[in-house]
């Protein structure tokens, strides 16, 4: 029975009660005036009588509590409940707060939302109850044995074990065996915590909850008179406050996940002392057919065609860079370098080091080797290996770029190929109205720094009047307080100008600038790797980003590698100036193509490109609606 129908039935009762109240009140007032002087205590009795007479009307007002709380999250990809649980603001910081005060059915004709419906259930009689749920798309029904939410357990759900999720039609209760619960014993007068988690993908969505009672075996939608609110708070926390609290709470779980994914030995590698740089290999001239072929072709190929002339490096040992379906080429992992060739280069390098230093270095482990093949001049190997001294427990890190001349098999150090292990890496981060992803970046960067003890970095935040985050508050952490610069800009989001402004504020030409993006995980070793693979005047590092499918994450990393994307890049500021920065006139108030344009100019500047699929560098799927469409306050971006 609907709420309004119930009120209509109660109107005669209300009229009768009102008449009784008026008569009683008049009588009491008369008695009070007549006998107040004879008995002062009568006022106490009269007040009690009036209170008792008014109480039924207070009960009528309490029908507002006959409802359940509904929290709604918008713009969430995926159709599975698990996709919703992964959002950082779940379960406490929704986009909307509503109340359900009708039968247990909630419908919504929008797409990609999720909702949490919760409160207390008060059964009309004692005995065995059975519950059932129907929804489009997937859902879970939880019930506690008491009013304590901590005691809740999953009793039924809409989910297809053979697919990603599940869905039903309205009132369809027998599509999946998990839709109906077992019998649950409930007591009249007790309250039981109940919760539904529902995730909708495309199309119209709904969630329904039914029960069969001791007196009625047929399933019916649960009616509102059995609901009790969990909370009457309908205020939605401002996004900038919600994000701050949600991501602060999420930090520990993110940290633990990264620790579990990386071995202790891998994390220890970055804290090892470096084997001192020395000339234990002969010097040889720097030559790269990749550079000269690209420069020659740059004058004859069409615009944006230089990316087709690039080729990827090989890695050793094999890494976890497969992105799901092995039949999809763009999901394939990095090519694995030949084991025998890699081990031969490593052993020869360590042998030369032993002879030069007269110290008995031995190989402990090959951490990572990047092999850049060049059939014309020879192959370059970027070595990261752990070595130790014989009869000593102390380990060292040997990290060098070694070149093998074609046809000779001789190892050498190429002139000018020297990486600087202490150079500061500047993240360049343009932002507008992406508060949740800024906090994601802060958490990820903080974890990476803490696990590797790498503190030599700085973040240039170029902010276009973001309204969903307090930037100063967000970056006011122990780690980032003195390692960030906030560049405030106004007007429409202007990516190319933001990048140029961020790089312009990097203090030294001999620092590394790393054009980064939001929505991306920060691998624990990325800062060190940027230094290793970026050589001033020689090499620009373009790590390949993996684009995750909707609802996927770092742990399963299903999606594809964006081999045609060149938005993330690391280079020395001196090389940035040499290339000329971003073209702010051609790419004004838009993006897409500016990275290819910049790559063309990198090639013409005779800079080599290092490129491979970077494990852990994953771009999360996200909706673009409302990201940069707020009206500018001024036409001048610099204010």
């Amino acid at each position: 029975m609907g709420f309004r129908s119930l009120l209509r039935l109660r109107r005669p009762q209300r009229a009768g009660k009102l008449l009784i109240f008026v008569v009683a009140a008049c009588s009491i007032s008369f008695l009070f005036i007549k006998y107040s002087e004879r008995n002062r205590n009568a006022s106490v009795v009269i007040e009690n009588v009036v209170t008792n007479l008014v109480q039924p009307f207070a009960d009528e007002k309490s029908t507002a509590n006959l409802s359940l709380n509904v929290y709604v999250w918008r713009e969430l990809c995926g159709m599975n409940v698990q996709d919703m649980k992964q959002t950082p603001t779940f379960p406490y910081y929704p986009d909307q707060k509503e109340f359900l005060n009708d039968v247990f059915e909630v419908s919504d004709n929008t797409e990609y939302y999720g909702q949490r419906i919760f409160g207390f259930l008060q059964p009309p009689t004692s005995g065995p109850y059975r519950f059932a749920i129907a929804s489009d798309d997937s859902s879970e029904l939880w019930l506690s044995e008491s009013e304590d939410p901590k005691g809740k357990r999953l009793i039924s759900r809409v989910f297809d074990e053979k697919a990603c999720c599940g869905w039903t039609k309205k009132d369809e209760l027998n599509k999946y065996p998990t839709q109906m619960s077992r019998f649950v014993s409930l007591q009249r007068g007790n309250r039981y915590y109940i919760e539904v988690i529902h995730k909708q993908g495309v199309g119209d969505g709904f969630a329904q909850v039914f029960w069969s009672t001791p007196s009625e075996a047929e399933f019916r939608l649960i009616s509102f008179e059995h609901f009790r609110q969990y909370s009457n708070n309908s205020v939605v926390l401002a996004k900038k406050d919600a994000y701050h609290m949600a991501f602060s709470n999420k930090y520990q779980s993110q940290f633990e996940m990264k620790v579990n994914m990386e071995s202790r030995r891998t994390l220890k590698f970055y804290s090892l002392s470096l084997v001192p740089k020395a000339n234990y290999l002969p010097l040889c001239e720097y030559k790269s057919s990749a550079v000269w072929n690209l420069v020659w072709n740059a004058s004859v190929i069409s615009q944006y065609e230089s990316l087709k002339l690039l080729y990827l490096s090989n890695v050793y040992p094999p890494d976890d860079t497969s992105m799901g379906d092995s039949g999809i080429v763009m999901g394939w992992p990095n090519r694995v370098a030949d084991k025998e060739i890699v081990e031969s280069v490593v052993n020869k390098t360590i042998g030369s080091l032993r002879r030069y230093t007269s110290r008995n270095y031995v190989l402990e482990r090959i951490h990572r080797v990047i092999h850049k093949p060049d059939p014309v001049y020879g192959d370059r190997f970027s070595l990261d290996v752990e070595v130790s001294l014989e009869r000593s427990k102390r380990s060292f890190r040997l990290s060098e770029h070694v070149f093998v001349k074609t046809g000779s098999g001789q190892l050498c150090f190429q002139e000018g190929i020297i990486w600087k292990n202490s150079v500061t890496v500047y993240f360049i981060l343009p932002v507008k109205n992406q508060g949740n992803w800024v906090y994601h970046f802060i958490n990820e960067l903080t974890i990476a720094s803490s696990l590797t003890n790498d503190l030599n970095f700085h973040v240039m935040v170029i902010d276009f009047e973001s309204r969903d985050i307090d930037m100063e508050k967000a970056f006011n952490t122990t780690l980032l307080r003195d390692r960030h610069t906030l560049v405030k800009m106004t007007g429409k989001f202007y990516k190319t100008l933001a990048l140029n402004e961020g790089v312009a504020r990097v203090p030294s030409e001999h620092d590394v600038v790393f054009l980064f993006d939001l929505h991306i995980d920060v691998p624990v070793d990325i800062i060190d790797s940027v230094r290793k693979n970026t050589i001033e005047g020689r090499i620009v590092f373009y790590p390949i980003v993996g684009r995750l499918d909707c609802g996927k994450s770092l742990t399963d990393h299903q999606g594809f590698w964006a081999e045609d994307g060149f938005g993330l890049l690391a280079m020395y500021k001196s090389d940035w100036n040499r290339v000329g920065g971003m073209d702010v006139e051609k790419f004004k108030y838009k993006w897409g193509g500016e990275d290819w344009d910049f790559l063309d100019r990198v090639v013409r500047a005779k800079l080599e490109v290092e490129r491979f699929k970077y494990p852990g560098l994953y771009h999360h799927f996200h909706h673009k609606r409302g990201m940069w469409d707020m009206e500018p306050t001024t036409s001048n971006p610099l204010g």
Side-chain angles (χ1 to χ4, degrees):
M1 182 183 297
F3 185 53
R4 293 180 179 176
S5 300
L6 184 65
L7 290 179
R8 284 197 296 270
L9 289 175
R10 291 185 177 181
R11 282 173 183 167
Q13 299 175 16
R14 283 186 170 182
K17 290 177 181 177
L18 181 60
L19 180 60
I20 294 171
F21 172 79
V22 172
V23 172
C26 292
S27 301
I28 291 168
S29 299
F30 173 78
L31 291 172
F32 178 79
I33 296 171
K34 188 171 182 64
Y35 298 109
S36 59
E37 293 181 357
R38 293 174 56 184
N39 190 353
R40 293 182 180 180
N41 292 331
S43 61
V44 177
V45 176
I46 292 166
E47 288 172 1
N48 289 336
V49 173
V50 172
T51 302
N52 290 334
L53 287 172
V54 173
Q55 190 62 42
F57 291 90
D59 285 341
E60 286 293 322
K61 292 180 180 179
S62 70
T63 57
N65 293 322
L66 302 182
S67 60
L68 297 177
N69 295 86
V70 182
Y71 284 7
V72 184
W73 286 262
R74 299 293 179 185
E75 304 293 351
L76 296 181
C77 70
M79 297 178 286
N80 194 342
V81 167
Q82 196 59 37
D83 299 330
M84 181 177 170
K85 291 180 179 179
Q86 289 178 353
T87 188
T89 53
F90 180 86
Y92 302 118
Y93 308 106
D95 297 320
Q96 296 172 225
K97 287 185 179 181
E98 301 171 353
F99 297 100
L100 173 62
N101 54 11
D102 206 330
V103 293
F104 208 138
E105 178 178 326
V106 180
S107 299
D108 194 320
N109 61 2
T110 60
E111 296 184 342
Y112 292 113
Y113 71 90
Q115 58 184 340
R116 176 178 171 237
I117 309 163
F118 62 102
F120 301 108
L121 196 62
Q122 194 160 320
T125 58
S126 299
Y129 287 76
R130 199 177 185 195
F131 293 82
I133 189 168
S135 65
D136 183 356
D137 288 303
S138 61
S139 60
E140 294 178 350
L141 174 59
W142 297 75
L143 184 70
S144 176
E145 295 179 349
S146 67
E147 61 182 20
D148 185 1
K150 294 179 181 178
K152 69 179 182 180
R153 59 188 180 89
L154 182 64
I155 61 171
S156 62
R157 64 176 179 166
V158 172
F159 183 74
D160 188 347
E161 298 285 355
K162 299 179 181 179
C164 67
C165 42
W167 65 276
T168 71
K169 298 176 182 178
K170 283 192 175 183
D171 305 323
E172 184 181 15
L173 302 181
N174 56 1
K175 184 174 182 179
Y176 305 109
T178 57
Q179 284 182 254
M180 297 184 188
S181 75
R182 297 179 179 179
F183 283 100
V184 181
S185 179
L186 304 180
Q187 298 297 315
R188 182 178 183 273
N190 290 351
R191 298 197 312 175
Y192 300 88
Y193 178 80
I194 188 170
E195 181 176 349
V196 169
I197 303 175
H198 168 229
K199 182 67 185 73
Q200 170 62 10
V202 296
D204 295 344
F206 73 89
Q208 298 173 306
V209 177
F210 303 76
W211 68 0
S212 64
T213 67
S215 60
E216 192 170 7
E218 183 181 351
F219 278 109
R220 293 186 181 276
L221 288 168
I222 304 175
S223 184
F224 78 96
E225 58 261 29
H226 307 297
F227 299 160
R228 298 295 183 271
Q229 280 183 10
Y230 187 86
S231 168
N232 62 3
N233 179 14
S234 61
V235 178
V236 177
L237 196 64
K239 283 189 175 181
K240 60 183 179 181
D241 297 321
Y243 291 153
H244 186 81
M245 297 175 68
F247 280 90
S248 296
N249 295 335
K250 191 186 178 186
Y251 174 83
Q252 189 59 34
S253 61
Q254 283 183 266
F255 181 87
E256 291 172 358
M257 179 183 68
K258 289 289 182 79
V259 170
N260 292 333
M261 293 184 69
E262 301 286 350
S263 69
R264 182 175 299 180
R265 194 170 187 181
T266 297
L267 295 175
K268 178 186 173 185
F269 179 79
Y270 299 101
S271 61
L272 295 176
S273 298
L274 280 165
V275 173
K277 180 71 177 177
N279 294 323
Y280 52 87
L281 291 177
L283 291 178
C284 55
E285 182 183 2
Y286 170 75
K287 288 184 178 181
S288 170
S289 63
V291 169
W292 296 111
N293 286 341
L294 286 172
V295 172
W296 182 82
N297 281 290
S299 61
V300 296
I301 62 174
S302 302
Q303 187 181 34
Y304 304 156
E305 291 293 308
S306 57
L307 62 93
K308 295 181 179 180
L309 300 174
L310 302 178
Y311 55 91
L312 309 185
S313 295
N314 306 325
V315 303
Y316 185 85
D319 55 17
D320 184 18
T321 49
S322 175
M323 292 202 70
D325 190 346
S326 59
I328 300 177
V329 175
M330 295 181 71
W332 288 357
N334 281 314
R335 290 192 302 266
V336 181
D338 186 279
K339 179 181 179 181
E340 291 185 3
I341 294 176
V342 169
E343 290 180 345
S344 174
V345 170
V346 169
N347 290 331
K348 286 182 179 180
T349 302
I350 295 175
S352 296
L353 178 64
R354 288 172 61 131
R355 289 188 293 273
Y356 183 86
T357 61
S358 299
R359 304 186 75 184
N360 293 325
Y361 286 105
V362 294
L363 175 65
E364 289 290 333
R365 184 174 68 99
I366 296 177
H367 176 70
R368 179 191 286 166
V369 173
I370 306 299
H371 172 209
K372 186 80 169 182
D374 185 340
V376 178
Y377 297 111
D379 296 356
R380 188 179 73 247
F381 295 83
S382 173
L383 307 182
D384 273 313
V385 298
E386 181 180 344
V387 297
S388 65
L389 294 172
E390 281 185 340
R391 295 182 295 276
S392 171
K393 294 183 179 180
R394 186 181 179 188
S395 292
F396 300 87
R397 173 183 174 181
L398 176 60
S399 293
E400 294 287 2
H401 291 275
V402 175
F403 190 71
V404 182
K405 294 180 181 179
T406 298
S408 70
Q410 295 180 351
L411 274 60
C412 63
F413 290 139
Q414 285 184 302
E415 293 177 345
I417 305 297
I418 301 173
W419 76 284
K420 302 173 184 177
N421 67 293
S422 60
V423 68
T424 303
V425 175
Y426 282 80
F427 288 82
I428 311 298
L429 197 69
V431 178
K432 180 165 186 174
N433 299 322
Q434 293 289 284
N436 56 334
W437 290 108
V438 173
Y439 275 109
H440 177 82
F441 169 79
I442 289 172
N443 277 3
E444 288 279 309
L445 182 59
T446 302
I447 292 168
S449 175
S450 63
L451 291 179
T452 58
N453 295 316
D454 197 327
L455 302 175
N456 205 6
F457 66 88
H458 196 91
V459 183
M460 290 289 185
V461 186
I462 306 93
D463 180 40
F464 286 82
E465 303 177 289
S466 293
R467 301 177 190 176
D468 61 352
I469 183 173
D470 183 336
M471 288 293 180
E472 293 290 4
K473 181 179 179 181
F475 281 89
N476 187 26
T477 68
T478 302
L479 176 67
L480 299 176
R481 188 174 298 118
D482 298 323
R483 291 185 177 87
H484 86 280
T485 299
L486 179 58
V487 181
K488 295 183 179 181
M489 302 183 74
T490 59
K492 293 176 64 176
F493 186 70
Y494 195 161
K495 183 177 180 180
T496 53
L497 179 62
L499 294 173
N500 283 354
E501 288 296 322
V503 174
R505 285 166 170 77
V506 173
S508 172
E509 282 202 336
H510 305 296
D511 287 326
V512 173
V513 297
F514 186 20
L515 274 57
F516 208 71
D517 192 7
L518 295 172
H519 323 111
I520 293 181
D521 290 333
V522 181
V524 295
D525 62 348
I526 191 66
I527 303 174
D528 182 90
S529 189
V530 162
R531 294 192 192 99
K532 182 75 183 300
N533 292 288
T534 305
I535 309 297
E536 188 168 13
R538 290 282 191 262
I539 301 175
V540 177
F541 184 34
Y542 276 96
I544 302 177
V545 177
R547 299 189 73 92
L548 297 172
D549 289 339
C550 177
K552 301 305 178 181
S553 66
L554 172 68
T555 53
D556 48 29
H557 51 82
Q558 293 184 19
F560 65 94
W561 290 104
E563 295 189 28
D564 59 350
F566 290 81
L568 261 68
L569 69 102
M571 65 195 308
Y572 277 81
K573 183 180 178 180
S574 59
D575 292 327
W576 172 277
N577 292 338
R578 177 176 156 196
V579 170
M582 289 288 167
D583 189 335
V584 297
E585 295 301 325
K586 186 176 181 180
F587 299 96
K588 186 175 184 179
Y589 301 140
K590 67 176 182 177
W591 47 98
E594 78 283 352
D595 54 342
W596 292 358
D597 175 81
F598 190 81
L599 176 64
D600 284 347
R601 288 183 282 124
V602 166
V603 167
R604 295 190 184 101
K606 300 181 181 180
L607 291 167
E608 185 179 348
V609 172
E610 178 60 88
R611 190 158 171 81
F612 54 89
K613 299 164 184 174
Y614 206 98
L617 193 65
Y618 298 125
H619 182 283
H620 289 259
F621 180 93
H622 62 92
H623 294 276
K624 296 181 174 64
R625 192 182 312 167
M627 286 175 59
W628 303 289
D629 58 359
M630 287 188 178
E631 289 298 319
T633 58
T634 176
S635 59
N636 181 5
L638 296 178

